[in-house]
Amino acid sequence: MIPLLEDLQTPKETIKDFFDLAQRTMKHLDNVVNVSTEKKNYIIQASDSAGQKKYTRPINKILYIKDQNALNDAYVLFLKTAKKISNRCRNFSLIEQNNINSFLYTIQQTIGAGFDVLADQNSARKHVGNRFEELIRSAFNECEITNNHINLCIPYDNNQYKCENDLVISGQKSVLSSNNSLNDKEIVVSVKTSSKDRMGKIFIDKILLKNFVKHSQKVIGIFNNDVQRKGSNDISFTLVSGLFMVYTKFLIELEGVYYLDLPPIALTSPYNQHIKHFSQLITKDIFDLLELP
């Protein structure tokens, strides 16, 4: 078996790959984490060994599944729910919906915490982001929602600008969009661990895509969370809510923004009209956005 850090750095393709990695990482964290602080429903843990203390990212104690047996149950339920989605079922219990968010959040935060204690922060950041994109793509695949990574080539003068789209999802058996054009029935998806320093780009990309492809293009954002550690025992939320509403009202409106760990302000008006749980996307909104029967 390869070392855990190498496993964390290796791209994953399926939900089972992620589940196995999370279980392995959880066992390691149980052995090395020996300091824990709670702040506003978030837990900050630390590994203190040989005089070197490494802190983990904040973990939402309500969403996170810390027991491995419970995680196994969540995995089984997620697979059953994904099967229902693939059969285009429209009726999901609150337990099924909450489990989608908790299960995927637990996978992602366990991977992130593994990097926190095993790797340098700067070198780990890109890997954590890549694993999240792969996790969301694996979730779509498990639900049989067609998707692909598309780099749209936008020519200008004698040059080309590559507009990288994390994912394009489709209601067809294969994605119709290509490097040269986007299908107006498909959805461009930006997948990021956090909206910090990234939210504005999604709005700008939607305007750019609309102007280039000459039709309205559906664009959504998917984020893990918007909370970060502040010092060794505090947290801060990173969603710039006022700017989000300014972009929405005066620039252009996205088709939706979805989180695994929803920022508290997103539960209040007017934000709750635009920002929702990821489970809302794959159990309801996806059918409407893709115009599925």
Side-chain angles (χ1 to χ4, degrees), residues 8-43:
L8 288 164
Q9 293 170 334
T10 302
K12 301 292 179 279
E13 295 183 353
T14 68
I15 289 297
K16 185 180 187 308
D17 290 342
F18 279 103
F19 174 66
D20 291 343
L21 176 61
Q23 284 197 312
R24 183 183 181 192
T25 308
M26 271 188 172
K27 290 177 182 177
H28 177 77
L29 291 171
D30 286 344
N31 290 329
V32 301
V33 168
N34 46 28
V35 179
S36 181
T37 303
E38 186 175 322
K39 194 76 172 182
K40 302 172 186 174
N41 286 329
Y42 285 84
I43 297 172

Side-chain angles (χ1 to χ4, degrees), residues 180-227:
N180 299 313
S181 66
L182 295 174
N183 185 280
D184 64 346
K185 300 294 186 183
E186 298 179 339
I187 309 168
V188 173
V189 187
S190 177
V191 184
K192 307 296 179 189
T193 54
S194 165
S195 78
K196 183 182 178 183
D197 303 324
R198 300 183 182 98
M199 184 70 81
K201 186 178 183 301
I202 304 177
F203 287 89
I204 293 170
D205 280 352
K206 181 173 171 67
I207 296 172
L208 179 64
L209 293 174
K210 179 182 179 181
N211 290 339
F212 175 67
V213 299
K214 307 301 182 186
H215 59 71
S216 295
Q217 188 65 50
K218 300 172 186 176
V219 177
I220 65 173
I222 298 175
F223 302 106
N224 179 42
N225 64 7
D226 255 317
V227 60

Side-chain angles (χ1 to χ4, degrees), residues 2 25 76 79 135 182 254 280:
I2 63 174
T25 308
V76 172
L79 293 181
L135 176 63
L182 295 174
L254 304 176
Q280 169 90 7

Side-chain angles (χ1 to χ4, degrees), residues 19-20 26 30 43 91 95 104 110 126-127 133-134 142 191 205 219-220 238-239 280:
F19 174 66
D20 291 343
M26 271 188 172
D30 286 344
I43 297 172
N91 187 22
I95 291 174
L104 295 177
T110 301
K126 183 173 179 60
H127 285 293
E133 183 180 330
E134 294 157 9
E142 197 69 48
V191 184
D205 280 352
V219 177
I220 65 173
T238 55
L239 172 64
Q280 169 90 7

Side-chain angles (χ1 to χ4, degrees), residues 217-244:
Q217 188 65 50
K218 300 172 186 176
V219 177
I220 65 173
I222 298 175
F223 302 106
N224 179 42
N225 64 7
D226 255 317
V227 60
Q228 65 183 12
R229 180 170 51 81
K230 185 179 178 182
S232 61
N233 60 0
D234 204 355
I235 63 169
S236 62
F237 293 101
T238 55
L239 172 64
V240 185
S241 54
L243 195 56
F244 172 81

Side-chain angles (χ1 to χ4, degrees), residues 103-210:
F103 174 69
L104 295 177
Y105 176 81
T106 300
I107 297 290
Q108 180 62 27
Q109 291 303 87
T110 301
I111 290 171
F115 273 111
D116 291 337
V117 301
L118 288 171
D120 173 76
Q121 182 178 0
N122 292 328
S123 64
R125 186 175 291 112
K126 183 173 179 60
H127 285 293
V128 173
N130 287 343
R131 293 302 82 75
F132 184 59
E133 183 180 330
E134 294 157 9
L135 176 63
I136 294 301
R137 185 169 188 177
S138 296
F140 282 137
N141 288 339
E142 197 69 48
C143 298
E144 296 186 19
I145 297 170
T146 307
N147 63 87
N148 201 1
H149 181 95
I150 298 288
N151 286 327
L152 183 67
C153 296
I154 300 178
Y156 66 96
D157 298 333
N158 294 320
N159 297 298
Q160 278 191 342
Y161 168 69
K162 287 188 177 181
C163 183
E164 184 175 357
N165 302 300
D166 296 328
L167 287 177
V168 173
I169 56 178
S170 175
Q172 304 300 315
K173 291 185 177 180
S174 61
V175 172
L176 302 178
S177 298
S178 68
N179 292 338
N180 299 313
S181 66
L182 295 174
N183 185 280
D184 64 346
K185 300 294 186 183
E186 298 179 339
I187 309 168
V188 173
V189 187
S190 177
V191 184
K192 307 296 179 189
T193 54
S194 165
S195 78
K196 183 182 178 183
D197 303 324
R198 300 183 182 98
M199 184 70 81
K201 186 178 183 301
I202 304 177
F203 287 89
I204 293 170
D205 280 352
K206 181 173 171 67
I207 296 172
L208 179 64
L209 293 174
K210 179 182 179 181

